[in-house]
Amino acid sequence: MAEVRNKQVVLRDYVSGFPKESDMNIVEGTTILKLPQGSNDVLLKNLYLSCDPYMRMLMTKVEGLDVFGTYTPGSPLTGYGVSKVLESGHPDYKKGDLVWGSTKWEEFSLVSPTQILFKIEHTDVPLSYYTGILGMPGMTAYAGFFEVGSPKKGENVFVSAASGAVGQLVGQFAKLTDCYVVGSAGSKEKVDLLKNKLGFDEAFNYKEESDLNATLKRYFPEGIDIYFENVGGKTLDAVLPNMRVFGRIPVCGMVSQYNLTQPEGVTNLANLIFKRIRMQGFIVGEFYHLYPKFLEFVLPHIRERKVVYVEDIAEGLENGPAALVGLYSGRNVGKQVVVVARD
Amino acid sequence: MAEVRNKQVVLRDYVSGFPKESDMNIVEGTTILKLPQGSNDVLLKNLYLSCDPYMRMLMTKVEGLDVFGTYTPGSPLTGYGVSKVLESGHPDYKKGDLVWGSTKWEEFSLVSPTQILFKIEHTDVPLSYYTGILGMPGMTAYAGFFEVGSPKKGENVFVSAASGAVGQLVGQFAKLTDCYVVGSAGSKEKVDLLKNKLGFDEAFNYKEESDLNATLKRYFPEGIDIYFENVGGKTLDAVLPNMRVFGRIPVCGMVSQYNLTQPEGVTNLANLIFKRIRMQGFIVGEFYHLYPKFLEFVLPHIRERKVVYVEDIAEGLENGPAALVGLYSGRNVGKQVVVVARD
């Protein structure tokens, strides 16, 4: 029975404040590439790992932030990834299948198919897309914009963290719906991407705007119908007075708040009443039954290049911690992926 | 043509901070009790006037709070009331009709029926009820709880400002829906009312709770399904971490914030995501088409005393300013009404 090296990214200890590379260790363990007798699990070779903002919440024990559970110090991180099935004890999967879903930050993983695990049927698109546009972030953008946001043709849409894994898709979905869409991001490079590659009508660098309320008034003189919320805090507070009557705020994330011991206070909530706004939190997990419908919608657009996707690829599991940590300072440009192996 | 006295409550000037009695003047003018030639308006004798929290927003010019328009300094306040038609230039109303809806804070008013004006068809209940349970606050409680809150039998409901014009009804509607309902209010007298007269399962005086989060955990060990939001600020912040998955927050008002130059910051909004909460502002104006359905629902309950209503009656228009101002310090116990004339 072959014992092989199994490099892992392990959490050292619970994190407070911004996570650092040194909060994680690269550990070189070994593993036996064989399913335990009678196991219903699948043995995976991990190819691509996904860096997602929600992972910060699993690194903490702070009450209220640990609602999705926590990582175990000394154990590898868990997350979304694209993997190849090496051996399967479950009838739905067989050796050689490509899958995306829950896995661990290591080279080889034993996972239970009771977790999220989708077989990859379409391989004429980059495999890494299944950590992004064709995976959890894609479904998040689709469900959040169409199901929670209830967009109508011609509406005004604002997206924060607009060049990120989810935001860049929300903007493109909004354009496919004939909406006017403006995105905010944290660098000139990202703003250029939004305007020149991702088809946003307008985009701005929030770090260069001293009065975000005035900025939004400038881009939305008639107000915002849908604010796709990825960041929370000050941005949300500036958006609220700029919302239109019957506006909607799908709340996908509040990444600006995850590293703060004391979150920023939002003071303009009375606008929810004045403008009759629906603000609704959602989690992609509730919407995976729509995945086949989503693929049917998005695959043709990808093939016809009507929807594009920007990825930021880090090579090698050992560069995973830096890639993950970079999310919280906005170092990534587009969807942050870590390549463990290419096949 | 009879010229009669027409006492008025007039706004002196725009208000900042908590309104005071001295922000209003009692003015003794005169009026001619005759419709102008060719007018489509109705001439009303005002009987009962309604004191409602939203009126504070009309007293200000502060950007963002003045979204419903503003009062005109030197002119009488406008608001909801119960009135008798003295003369009508409009085919839908005739002399002697009793109506409720938009009127002014004075003895006699000329109003346009293009504003909210309902004919009163049922007079076997106290006429003053049409400023409360059978008027705007009743419709607000009904629409906010049933239409926006989407309650299900057995759910856990929390109501702030629970003994107020709207809150006391939300609690009773929740009990009719077989929910568990807890109310918060600002005095022992109000807490007693909630528990002993209004049928709330539990009630507490928020002024005596030093840790509102812990208080809510005590009353809702399994969390809150519906929070009927009347106050905003600190209360909302304590509620958010205590919400259950798929909870709903109909946002009816944020009265704790209307007198503040800088509203309190709400820091726990990330719970909207974790708990997949829908928080939705509403204004009763969108729901008046349901008024006949509401009457059908609520009148039998009133007649059978299955729904009761607590009013706080101020006698005389000259006591109107004190009654109105009292809303913002919680001086009123139940729906605050001002009697101008009894018939």
Side-chain angles (χ1 to χ4, degrees):
Chain A
M1 231 176 278
E3 200 179 66
V4 298
R5 183 196 66 183
N6 192 12
K7 214 185 286 180
Q8 301 181 313
V9 175
V10 160
L11 186 70
R12 286 173 76 141
D13 201 355
Y14 294 117
V15 171
S16 71
F18 277 80
K20 304 176 297 297
E21 278 188 62
S22 59
D23 290 323
M24 288 160 270
N25 278 335
I26 309 291
V27 174
E28 290 221 0
T30 58
T31 194
I32 293 165
L33 287 186
K34 182 91 197 109
L35 266 188
Q37 193 74 27
S39 166
N40 296 313
D41 292 348
V42 289
L43 182 67
L44 301 178
K45 180 182 185 192
N46 295 315
L47 306 179
Y48 298 94
L49 292 173
S50 179
C51 297
D52 294 300
Y54 80 88
M55 296 170 75
R56 171 63 184 84
M57 288 185 266
L58 305 182
M59 297 182 179
T60 197
K61 275 235 142 170
V62 173
E63 202 208 327
L65 269 181
D66 59 354
V67 285
F68 302 123
T70 60
Y71 290 140
T72 308
S75 292
L77 307 186
T78 59
Y80 282 89
V82 171
S83 314
K84 192 156 79 179
V85 176
L86 296 184
E87 211 179 328
S88 172
H90 192 283
D92 291 355
Y93 306 89
K94 61 174 201 304
K95 183 173 168 175
D97 280 351
L98 291 164
V99 295
W100 74 266
S102 303
T103 188
K104 297 179 196 159
W105 279 46
E106 57 190 356
E107 292 175 281
F108 302 97
S109 297
L110 198 63
V111 308
S112 161
T114 58
Q115 300 209 283
I116 293 152
L117 205 62
F118 289 94
K119 262 168 84 166
I120 292 174
E121 316 273 4
H122 306 274
T123 53
D124 60 324
V125 289
L127 259 189
S128 57
Y129 274 17
Y130 289 91
T131 66
I133 182 171
L134 295 174
M136 182 275 282
M139 261 312 295
T140 301
Y142 180 75
F145 183 65
F146 289 110
E147 299 290 318
V148 185
S150 317
K152 288 189 277 292
K153 190 175 159 168
E155 286 193 323
N156 298 334
V157 177
F158 177 53
V159 188
S160 54
S163 70
V166 174
Q168 59 176 305
L169 292 173
V170 173
Q172 294 180 81
F173 294 166
K175 286 316 297 175
L176 290 173
T177 316
D178 289 325
C179 293
Y180 166 79
V181 60
V182 179
S184 66
S187 74
K188 185 179 180 313
E189 182 187 6
K190 293 177 185 179
V191 167
D192 288 345
L193 261 181
L194 290 171
K195 291 204 280 197
N196 302 324
K197 188 176 168 87
L198 296 165
F200 283 63
D201 294 293
E202 298 285 350
F204 62 87
N205 179 351
Y206 69 90
K207 292 178 181 168
E208 287 182 351
E209 302 294 329
S210 56
D211 180 350
L212 204 49
N213 188 335
T215 305
L216 290 169
K217 275 198 175 34
R218 204 164 65 235
Y219 285 111
F220 295 99
E222 295 180 354
I224 300 165
D225 294 293
I226 299 180
Y227 169 48
F228 196 95
E229 167 68 300
N230 283 317
V231 303
K234 287 188 183 68
T235 305
L236 176 58
D237 226 4
V239 164
L240 284 165
N242 286 292
M243 290 296 291
R244 267 177 114 163
V245 168
F246 297 118
R248 287 132 278 151
I249 305 181
V251 187
C252 175
M254 292 196 171
V255 68
S256 76
Q257 306 299 298
Y258 300 158
N259 302 303
L260 307 179
T261 353
Q262 180 58 28
E264 291 168 350
V266 173
T267 61
N268 289 322
L269 287 168
N271 284 283
L272 295 180
I273 313 165
F274 310 152
K275 312 287 179 60
R276 287 146 272 186
I277 295 165
R278 171 163 58 80
M279 188 169 172
Q280 187 166 352
F282 71 98
I283 288 178
V284 65
E286 322 295 338
F287 293 98
Y288 277 133
H289 61 283
L290 299 177
Y291 185 63
K293 192 179 154 200
F294 167 59
L295 279 187
E296 229 170 85
F297 161 80
V298 80
L299 277 170
H301 287 307
I302 295 175
R303 289 175 183 137
E304 294 164 23
R305 299 189 192 283
K306 284 190 180 154
V307 170
V308 296
Y309 201 59
V310 179
E311 296 181 314
D312 194 329
I313 307 271
E315 291 289 338
L317 188 58
E318 59 284 2
N319 292 315
L324 179 56
V325 163
L327 283 186
Y328 305 99
S329 58
R331 213 185 54 182
N332 58 308
V333 177
K335 166 68 198 178
Q336 182 68 58
V337 185
V338 177
V339 186
V340 185
R342 296 209 178 256
D343 59 26
Chain B
M1 231 175 280
E3 199 179 65
V4 296
R5 182 197 67 182
N6 192 12
K7 215 186 285 181
Q8 301 182 312
V9 175
V10 160
L11 186 71
R12 285 173 77 140
D13 201 355
Y14 294 118
V15 171
S16 71
F18 277 80
K20 303 175 298 294
E21 278 188 61
S22 60
D23 289 324
M24 289 161 268
N25 278 334
I26 309 291
V27 174
E28 289 219 3
T30 57
T31 195
I32 293 166
L33 288 185
K34 182 90 198 108
L35 266 188
Q37 193 72 28
S39 166
N40 296 313
D41 292 347
V42 289
L43 183 65
L44 300 178
K45 179 183 184 193
N46 294 315
L47 306 179
Y48 298 94
L49 293 172
S50 178
C51 296
D52 294 300
Y54 80 88
M55 297 170 75
R56 171 64 184 84
M57 286 184 270
L58 304 182
M59 297 183 181
T60 196
K61 274 234 141 173
V62 174
E63 202 207 326
L65 270 181
D66 58 355
V67 285
F68 302 122
T70 59
Y71 291 140
T72 309
S75 292
L77 307 186
T78 59
Y80 282 90
V82 171
S83 314
K84 191 155 80 178
V85 176
L86 297 183
E87 210 178 328
S88 172
H90 192 283
D92 291 355
Y93 306 89
K94 63 174 198 303
K95 183 175 169 175
D97 280 351
L98 291 165
V99 295
W100 75 266
S102 303
T103 188
K104 296 179 196 159
W105 279 46
E106 57 190 354
E107 292 175 282
F108 302 98
S109 297
L110 198 63
V111 308
S112 162
T114 58
Q115 300 209 284
I116 293 151
L117 205 62
F118 289 94
K119 263 169 82 167
I120 292 174
E121 316 274 3
H122 306 274
T123 53
D124 60 325
V125 290
L127 258 190
S128 57
Y129 275 17
Y130 289 92
T131 67
I133 182 169
L134 295 174
M136 183 276 279
M139 262 313 294
T140 301
Y142 179 75
F145 184 65
F146 290 111
E147 300 291 318
V148 185
S150 316
K152 288 188 276 294
K153 190 176 158 165
E155 286 193 322
N156 298 333
V157 177
F158 177 53
V159 188
S160 54
S163 69
V166 175
Q168 58 175 306
L169 292 174
V170 173
Q172 293 181 82
F173 295 166
K175 288 314 299 174
L176 289 173
T177 315
D178 289 325
C179 294
Y180 165 79
V181 60
V182 179
S184 65
S187 73
K188 184 178 180 314
E189 181 187 5
K190 293 177 185 180
V191 167
D192 288 346
L193 261 180
L194 291 170
K195 291 205 278 196
N196 302 323
K197 189 178 167 86
L198 295 165
F200 283 63
D201 293 293
E202 299 285 351
F204 62 86
N205 179 351
Y206 69 89
K207 291 178 182 167
E208 287 182 350
E209 302 294 330
S210 56
D211 181 350
L212 204 49
N213 188 335
T215 305
L216 290 169
K217 273 198 178 32
R218 204 163 65 235
Y219 285 111
F220 295 99
E222 294 180 353
I224 299 166
D225 294 294
I226 300 179
Y227 169 48
F228 196 96
E229 167 67 300
N230 283 316
V231 303
K234 287 186 184 69
T235 304
L236 176 58
D237 225 3
V239 164
L240 285 164
N242 285 293
M243 290 296 290
R244 269 175 114 164
V245 168
F246 297 118
R248 287 133 277 151
I249 305 182
V251 187
C252 175
M254 293 196 170
V255 68
S256 76
Q257 307 299 298
Y258 299 159
N259 302 304
L260 307 179
T261 352
Q262 180 58 29
E264 291 168 349
V266 173
T267 61
N268 289 323
L269 286 168
N271 285 283
L272 295 180
I273 312 164
F274 309 154
K275 313 288 179 61
R276 286 146 273 185
I277 295 164
R278 172 162 59 80
M279 187 167 172
Q280 189 166 350
F282 72 98
I283 287 177
V284 64
E286 321 296 338
F287 294 97
Y288 278 133
H289 61 283
L290 298 178
Y291 185 64
K293 191 178 155 202
F294 167 60
L295 279 186
E296 230 170 86
F297 161 79
V298 80
L299 277 170
H301 287 307
I302 296 175
R303 291 177 181 134
E304 295 164 25
R305 299 190 193 283
K306 284 190 180 152
V307 169
V308 296
Y309 201 58
V310 179
E311 296 181 315
D312 194 330
I313 307 270
E315 291 289 337
L317 187 60
E318 59 283 4
N319 292 314
L324 179 57
V325 163
L327 283 185
Y328 305 100
S329 57
R331 213 185 54 183
N332 59 306
V333 178
K335 167 66 196 177
Q336 182 68 59
V337 185
V338 176
V339 186
V340 184
R342 295 206 179 257
D343 57 27

